[in-house]
Amino acid sequence: MTDTLWMTHRRLQAFVRQPWYLVFTLIQPAIWLFLFGNLFKRIVELPGFGGGSYLTYIVPGVVVMSAMSSNMWAGMGTMEEIERGTLNRFLIAPVGRGAIMNANVIEQALSTSIQSLIIVLLAWAAGATYEGGPAGVLVLIVMAILLGTVFSALSNTVGMLVRQRETIIGLNTLLLLPLTFISTTFMAEDLMPGWMQTLTNYNPVNWAVEAARSALAENPDWGDVATPAAALLALAMLTVWLSTRTFRTYQKSV
């Protein structure tokens, strides 16, 4: 735990020194939020959608999509540390190997929390409503953190295995939009084709969106929140374990 604390402190120092990174990662979510929120706002009038404000509907999806998108690049930072020799120096330092990966996860979780809260506030200023109150918003941020952890750990795993930037870029391009659109981020499930509705059941992005949206409802059904949240937590633990094992494999190769 002490090693994790110090390693996290090191990563947060680097994060504080580049605040523009957070600003730039907010540009795309803002575009999705306000461009799609206005362009498709009449979709709620379709039979079966359920009515209400389309901006309010897409907020959980945009927050989750933003968390996924920003965390997918975590492997790039790992590759930079490999290329600079920083990671190799840690291998001979008296620090727990798990602490190195834990610090990465914590730093990504904190940046995801800040990013998610800003998006929630921007949408609220634009007219979105959160009937679930602070508890619902908290669940939304936790879901974003869990999903971000999944893709951060996956990105780190790929970075340590292949050590090629092009592979991480290709993986991000391959996964981001398909996983987003095979979910209820922008469209109600009842209006999707049958095969897409089936795929949403196995999509972790949809687990996060549905759990958050249920928590933000006026009268949340916490059973609908707990089931996808538990599945997402289990997947996050699995991917973190995998990234830690991959780190040990990398350690043996140098």
Side-chain angles (χ1 to χ4, degrees), residues 59-60 63 117 120 129-144 208-220 222 225:
V59 169
V63 169
L117 184 58
V120 167
T129 57
Y130 309 117
E131 295 178 341
V137 173
L138 178 61
V139 170
L140 169 59
I141 294 175
V142 170
M143 292 303 101
V209 173
E210 287 298 299
R213 193 168 283 141
S214 297
L216 287 168
E218 184 176 0
N219 297 302
W222 294 106
V225 175

Short mmCIF file of all heavy atoms in Angstrom, two decimals, residues 59-60 63 117 120 129-144 208-220 222 225:
data_model
loop_
_atom_site.label_atom_id
_atom_site.label_comp_id
_atom_site.label_asym_id
_atom_site.label_seq_id
_atom_site.Cartn_x
_atom_site.Cartn_y
_atom_site.Cartn_z
N VAL A 59 -26.62 11.74 -21.68
CA VAL A 59 -25.54 12.10 -20.74
C VAL A 59 -24.80 10.87 -20.21
O VAL A 59 -23.56 10.82 -20.26
CB VAL A 59 -26.08 12.96 -19.58
CG1 VAL A 59 -25.03 13.09 -18.48
CG2 VAL A 59 -26.45 14.34 -20.08
N PRO A 60 -25.49 9.83 -19.70
CA PRO A 60 -24.74 8.66 -19.22
C PRO A 60 -23.88 8.03 -20.31
O PRO A 60 -22.74 7.62 -20.05
CB PRO A 60 -25.85 7.70 -18.76
CG PRO A 60 -27.02 8.57 -18.47
CD PRO A 60 -26.94 9.68 -19.48
N VAL A 63 -20.74 10.24 -21.00
CA VAL A 63 -19.78 10.11 -19.89
C VAL A 63 -19.02 8.79 -20.00
O VAL A 63 -17.79 8.74 -19.89
CB VAL A 63 -20.50 10.22 -18.53
CG1 VAL A 63 -19.55 9.82 -17.40
CG2 VAL A 63 -21.00 11.63 -18.31
N LEU A 117 -17.34 14.37 -14.07
CA LEU A 117 -18.07 15.40 -13.32
C LEU A 117 -18.22 16.67 -14.16
O LEU A 117 -19.28 17.31 -14.15
CB LEU A 117 -17.32 15.71 -12.02
CG LEU A 117 -18.00 16.71 -11.08
CD1 LEU A 117 -19.39 16.21 -10.69
CD2 LEU A 117 -17.16 16.95 -9.85
N VAL A 120 -20.98 16.10 -16.68
CA VAL A 120 -22.28 16.14 -16.01
C VAL A 120 -22.71 17.59 -15.75
O VAL A 120 -23.87 17.97 -15.98
CB VAL A 120 -22.22 15.36 -14.68
CG1 VAL A 120 -23.44 15.66 -13.81
CG2 VAL A 120 -22.13 13.86 -14.96
N THR A 129 -31.45 17.03 -16.82
CA THR A 129 -31.92 16.85 -15.45
C THR A 129 -31.51 15.48 -14.94
O THR A 129 -31.45 14.52 -15.70
CB THR A 129 -33.45 16.98 -15.36
OG1 THR A 129 -34.06 16.02 -16.25
CG2 THR A 129 -33.90 18.38 -15.76
N TYR A 130 -31.23 15.40 -13.63
CA TYR A 130 -30.81 14.15 -13.00
C TYR A 130 -31.77 13.84 -11.87
O TYR A 130 -31.54 14.24 -10.71
CB TYR A 130 -29.37 14.27 -12.50
CG TYR A 130 -28.42 14.78 -13.56
CD1 TYR A 130 -27.75 16.00 -13.40
CD2 TYR A 130 -28.21 14.07 -14.73
CE1 TYR A 130 -26.89 16.48 -14.37
CE2 TYR A 130 -27.35 14.54 -15.72
CZ TYR A 130 -26.69 15.74 -15.53
OH TYR A 130 -25.84 16.22 -16.50
N GLU A 131 -32.85 13.13 -12.19
CA GLU A 131 -33.89 12.87 -11.20
C GLU A 131 -33.40 11.95 -10.10
O GLU A 131 -33.97 11.94 -9.01
CB GLU A 131 -35.11 12.27 -11.90
CG GLU A 131 -35.78 13.25 -12.88
CD GLU A 131 -36.96 12.62 -13.59
OE1 GLU A 131 -37.04 11.37 -13.62
OE2 GLU A 131 -37.80 13.37 -14.12
N GLY A 132 -32.37 11.18 -10.38
CA GLY A 132 -31.82 10.30 -9.35
C GLY A 132 -31.00 11.03 -8.32
O GLY A 132 -30.58 10.43 -7.31
N GLY A 133 -30.74 12.34 -8.53
CA GLY A 133 -30.02 13.15 -7.57
C GLY A 133 -28.54 12.81 -7.48
O GLY A 133 -27.98 12.12 -8.34
N PRO A 134 -27.88 13.29 -6.41
CA PRO A 134 -26.44 13.04 -6.25
C PRO A 134 -26.07 11.56 -6.24
O PRO A 134 -25.01 11.19 -6.74
CB PRO A 134 -26.13 13.69 -4.89
CG PRO A 134 -27.20 14.73 -4.72
CD PRO A 134 -28.43 14.16 -5.36
N ALA A 135 -26.94 10.71 -5.68
CA ALA A 135 -26.65 9.27 -5.65
C ALA A 135 -26.56 8.71 -7.06
O ALA A 135 -25.68 7.90 -7.39
CB ALA A 135 -27.71 8.52 -4.85
N GLY A 136 -27.47 9.16 -7.93
CA GLY A 136 -27.45 8.70 -9.32
C GLY A 136 -26.21 9.17 -10.05
O GLY A 136 -25.61 8.42 -10.82
N VAL A 137 -25.82 10.42 -9.81
CA VAL A 137 -24.61 10.96 -10.44
C VAL A 137 -23.38 10.21 -9.95
O VAL A 137 -22.46 9.92 -10.72
CB VAL A 137 -24.48 12.48 -10.15
CG1 VAL A 137 -23.14 13.01 -10.65
CG2 VAL A 137 -25.63 13.24 -10.82
N LEU A 138 -23.36 9.88 -8.66
CA LEU A 138 -22.23 9.13 -8.10
C LEU A 138 -22.12 7.76 -8.77
O LEU A 138 -21.01 7.31 -9.11
CB LEU A 138 -22.41 8.97 -6.59
CG LEU A 138 -21.32 8.16 -5.87
CD1 LEU A 138 -19.96 8.82 -6.04
CD2 LEU A 138 -21.67 8.00 -4.39
N VAL A 139 -23.26 7.08 -8.95
CA VAL A 139 -23.23 5.78 -9.63
C VAL A 139 -22.71 5.93 -11.05
O VAL A 139 -21.92 5.11 -11.53
CB VAL A 139 -24.65 5.15 -9.64
CG1 VAL A 139 -24.67 3.91 -10.54
CG2 VAL A 139 -25.07 4.77 -8.22
N LEU A 140 -23.14 6.98 -11.73
CA LEU A 140 -22.66 7.24 -13.10
C LEU A 140 -21.14 7.37 -13.12
O LEU A 140 -20.47 6.76 -13.98
CB LEU A 140 -23.31 8.52 -13.63
CG LEU A 140 -22.75 9.09 -14.95
CD1 LEU A 140 -22.86 8.08 -16.07
CD2 LEU A 140 -23.47 10.39 -15.31
N ILE A 141 -20.58 8.13 -12.20
CA ILE A 141 -19.13 8.32 -12.17
C ILE A 141 -18.41 7.02 -11.83
O ILE A 141 -17.37 6.69 -12.42
CB ILE A 141 -18.76 9.43 -11.17
CG1 ILE A 141 -19.30 10.78 -11.67
CG2 ILE A 141 -17.24 9.51 -10.97
CD1 ILE A 141 -19.10 11.93 -10.69
N VAL A 142 -18.97 6.24 -10.91
CA VAL A 142 -18.36 4.95 -10.56
C VAL A 142 -18.37 4.01 -11.76
O VAL A 142 -17.39 3.30 -12.03
CB VAL A 142 -19.09 4.31 -9.35
CG1 VAL A 142 -18.61 2.88 -9.14
CG2 VAL A 142 -18.86 5.14 -8.10
N MET A 143 -19.48 4.00 -12.51
CA MET A 143 -19.55 3.15 -13.71
C MET A 143 -18.51 3.58 -14.75
O MET A 143 -17.88 2.74 -15.40
CB MET A 143 -20.95 3.21 -14.33
CG MET A 143 -22.06 2.57 -13.49
SD MET A 143 -21.76 0.83 -13.09
CE MET A 143 -21.18 1.00 -11.40
N ALA A 144 -18.33 4.89 -14.87
CA ALA A 144 -17.32 5.40 -15.81
C ALA A 144 -15.91 4.96 -15.37
O ALA A 144 -15.07 4.59 -16.20
CB ALA A 144 -17.41 6.92 -15.90
N ALA A 208 -22.40 -0.42 -18.33
CA ALA A 208 -22.15 0.83 -17.61
C ALA A 208 -23.26 1.84 -17.86
O ALA A 208 -23.75 2.51 -16.94
CB ALA A 208 -20.80 1.40 -18.02
N VAL A 209 -23.69 1.95 -19.13
CA VAL A 209 -24.73 2.93 -19.48
C VAL A 209 -26.05 2.59 -18.81
O VAL A 209 -26.72 3.46 -18.22
CB VAL A 209 -24.91 3.00 -21.01
CG1 VAL A 209 -26.11 3.87 -21.37
CG2 VAL A 209 -23.66 3.54 -21.68
N GLU A 210 -26.43 1.32 -18.86
CA GLU A 210 -27.72 0.92 -18.29
C GLU A 210 -27.73 1.06 -16.78
O GLU A 210 -28.74 1.49 -16.19
CB GLU A 210 -28.03 -0.52 -18.70
CG GLU A 210 -28.43 -0.68 -20.16
CD GLU A 210 -29.71 0.07 -20.48
OE1 GLU A 210 -30.76 -0.24 -19.88
OE2 GLU A 210 -29.66 1.00 -21.32
N ALA A 211 -26.64 0.70 -16.12
CA ALA A 211 -26.57 0.85 -14.65
C ALA A 211 -26.69 2.32 -14.27
O ALA A 211 -27.43 2.67 -13.33
CB ALA A 211 -25.28 0.25 -14.12
N ALA A 212 -25.97 3.17 -14.98
CA ALA A 212 -26.00 4.60 -14.68
C ALA A 212 -27.37 5.19 -14.96
O ALA A 212 -27.90 5.98 -14.17
CB ALA A 212 -24.94 5.32 -15.50
N ARG A 213 -27.95 4.82 -16.10
CA ARG A 213 -29.27 5.37 -16.46
C ARG A 213 -30.34 4.92 -15.47
O ARG A 213 -31.25 5.71 -15.12
CB ARG A 213 -29.62 4.96 -17.89
CG ARG A 213 -30.81 5.71 -18.48
CD ARG A 213 -30.91 5.46 -19.97
NE ARG A 213 -29.92 6.24 -20.70
CZ ARG A 213 -29.24 5.80 -21.76
NH1 ARG A 213 -29.43 4.56 -22.18
NH2 ARG A 213 -28.38 6.58 -22.38
N SER A 214 -30.26 3.69 -15.00
CA SER A 214 -31.23 3.22 -14.00
C SER A 214 -31.09 3.99 -12.69
O SER A 214 -32.08 4.33 -12.04
CB SER A 214 -31.02 1.72 -13.74
OG SER A 214 -31.27 0.96 -14.90
N ALA A 215 -29.84 4.28 -12.30
CA ALA A 215 -29.60 5.02 -11.05
C ALA A 215 -30.06 6.46 -11.15
O ALA A 215 -30.39 7.08 -10.13
CB ALA A 215 -28.12 4.96 -10.70
N LEU A 216 -30.07 7.02 -12.37
CA LEU A 216 -30.46 8.41 -12.56
C LEU A 216 -31.96 8.58 -12.75
O LEU A 216 -32.44 9.71 -12.88
CB LEU A 216 -29.73 9.00 -13.78
CG LEU A 216 -28.24 9.28 -13.58
CD1 LEU A 216 -27.57 9.57 -14.92
CD2 LEU A 216 -28.03 10.45 -12.62
N ALA A 217 -32.71 7.48 -12.76
CA ALA A 217 -34.16 7.56 -12.90
C ALA A 217 -34.79 8.14 -11.64
O ALA A 217 -34.17 8.18 -10.57
CB ALA A 217 -34.73 6.17 -13.18
N GLU A 218 -36.03 8.58 -11.78
CA GLU A 218 -36.71 9.21 -10.64
C GLU A 218 -36.88 8.23 -9.48
O GLU A 218 -36.68 8.58 -8.33
CB GLU A 218 -38.08 9.73 -11.09
CG GLU A 218 -38.81 10.49 -10.00
CD GLU A 218 -40.12 11.08 -10.49
OE1 GLU A 218 -40.44 10.89 -11.68
OE2 GLU A 218 -40.80 11.74 -9.68
N ASN A 219 -37.25 6.99 -9.81
CA ASN A 219 -37.39 5.94 -8.79
C ASN A 219 -36.49 4.77 -9.19
O ASN A 219 -36.95 3.82 -9.84
CB ASN A 219 -38.85 5.48 -8.68
CG ASN A 219 -39.77 6.60 -8.23
OD1 ASN A 219 -39.57 7.18 -7.17
ND2 ASN A 219 -40.77 6.92 -9.04
N PRO A 220 -35.22 4.83 -8.82
CA PRO A 220 -34.27 3.81 -9.28
C PRO A 220 -34.63 2.41 -8.82
O PRO A 220 -35.05 2.21 -7.68
CB PRO A 220 -32.94 4.27 -8.65
CG PRO A 220 -33.14 5.72 -8.31
CD PRO A 220 -34.60 5.84 -7.96
N TRP A 222 -32.74 -0.55 -7.91
CA TRP A 222 -31.35 -0.82 -7.60
C TRP A 222 -30.92 -2.23 -8.00
O TRP A 222 -29.74 -2.52 -8.12
CB TRP A 222 -31.09 -0.57 -6.12
CG TRP A 222 -31.24 0.88 -5.78
CD1 TRP A 222 -32.27 1.46 -5.10
CD2 TRP A 222 -30.37 1.94 -6.16
NE1 TRP A 222 -32.09 2.82 -5.03
CE2 TRP A 222 -30.93 3.15 -5.66
CE3 TRP A 222 -29.16 2.00 -6.87
CZ2 TRP A 222 -30.33 4.39 -5.86
CZ3 TRP A 222 -28.56 3.24 -7.07
CH2 TRP A 222 -29.13 4.41 -6.56
N VAL A 225 -29.48 -1.77 -11.27
CA VAL A 225 -28.16 -1.13 -11.16
C VAL A 225 -27.11 -2.16 -10.74
O VAL A 225 -26.00 -2.21 -11.29
CB VAL A 225 -28.20 0.03 -10.14
CG1 VAL A 225 -26.80 0.61 -9.94
CG2 VAL A 225 -29.17 1.11 -10.58
#
